[in-house]
Amino acid sequence: MKETVILDKKFREMIPGDVISKRIDVMAEEINRDYSGKDVVFLGILNGAFLFAAELFKRINLKAKISFVKLASYEGTKSSGSVKELIGWNEDIKNMHVVVIEDIVDTGHTLELIVGELKVRKVADIRVATLLFKPKAYTKKIPVNYAGFEIPNDFVVGFGLDYDGYGRNLPSVYTLIK
Ligand code: IMP
């Protein structure tokens, strides 16, 4: 079993890179089939989704664009406390078919925010592709259409996911050793 240390924590390999790669092949095939003949915008959520987005997008054979947005936290008014906002929109996506690309869907808060923003922008329809999905942590109703791997409610790193900024470059997904 491969293990790695990041800062003060130990992690064990959970999903090897070659398994991830094969799964992304299948996910891309599904998306290519489902959107056949359509013009699609892929929307990657930074920072975590950068690697998965690149791997998925290079397997897409549709008429497709890719764009990235980032969730930024800022201190709102006294009453609302910390507020999260999506920044980096540079694409007119009105009436487009959008595939949101996430690294991981955990509680679904992030996804809900993104889908809300997309609805305001009057896109044609929205589907969600995520490398990892924690169904036991998920509290929302939004369908997760393309989920690479369903995983337990544990902390993971690698393949774009970080622990305190580190570990994103690991080619496999690693889980925290408790
Ligand atoms: P959600 O809004 O609770 O669904 O969480 C989404 C975001 O939390 C992801 O895009 C990640 O940035 C982060 N996150 C959730 N679970 C993990 C994890 O196990 N490892 C690293 N980051 C995580």
Side-chain angles (χ1 to χ4, degrees):
M1 269 292 165
K2 278 194 207 162
E3 290 188 359
T4 188
V5 174
I6 303 174
L7 302 175
D8 58 338
K9 300 209 187 306
K10 264 185 158 182
F11 294 84
R12 180 185 308 114
E13 190 181 53
M14 184 170 78
I15 314 171
D18 58 334
V19 175
I20 297 174
S21 183
K22 286 192 186 105
R23 181 72 186 116
I24 300 175
D25 287 344
V26 174
M27 294 173 85
E29 270 171 33
E30 272 183 72
I31 294 171
N32 285 329
R33 194 182 55 227
D34 292 351
Y35 286 91
S36 174
K38 291 186 176 146
D39 198 338
V40 185
V41 174
F42 288 80
L43 188 69
I45 313 304
L46 295 173
N47 291 326
F50 77 100
L51 250 183
F52 173 52
E55 288 298 318
L56 184 70
F57 194 62
K58 73 186 190 191
R59 292 163 168 84
I60 295 298
N61 58 23
L62 304 163
K63 183 173 175 228
K65 291 184 182 181
I66 190 163
S67 193
F68 291 89
V69 291
K70 187 177 171 119
L71 203 58
S73 296
Y74 64 92
E75 293 307 310
T77 57
K78 288 156 265 155
S79 54
S80 56
S82 177
V83 180
K84 285 193 166 177
E85 180 197 23
L86 278 167
I87 56 168
W89 298 94
N90 57 9
E91 205 64 59
D92 185 10
I93 50 174
K94 194 174 172 187
N95 297 325
M96 297 294 292
H97 304 290
V98 178
V99 177
V100 175
I101 309 182
E102 275 267 35
D103 52 350
I104 186 164
V105 175
D106 188 343
T107 64
H109 290 318
T110 311
L111 192 57
E112 189 173 61
L113 208 146
I114 294 156
V115 168
E117 289 276 344
L118 288 168
K119 285 186 174 158
V120 169
R121 287 170 167 79
K122 299 197 171 8
V123 299
D125 51 60
I126 307 160
R127 283 194 185 171
V128 179
T130 185
L131 177 67
L132 304 173
F133 181 36
K134 293 181 181 173
K136 289 213 170 75
Y138 194 56
T139 59
K140 309 294 175 191
K141 295 247 151 44
I142 300 161
V144 177
N145 310 91
Y146 308 99
F149 301 91
E150 292 195 355
I151 62 166
N153 211 353
D154 298 322
F155 188 76
V156 293
V157 293
F159 215 90
L161 290 113
D162 73 305
Y163 167 47
D164 217 3
Y166 294 97
R168 295 192 195 276
N169 49 326
L170 292 166
S172 304
V173 169
Y174 285 73
T175 187
L176 180 67
I177 301 174
K178 289 174 201 152

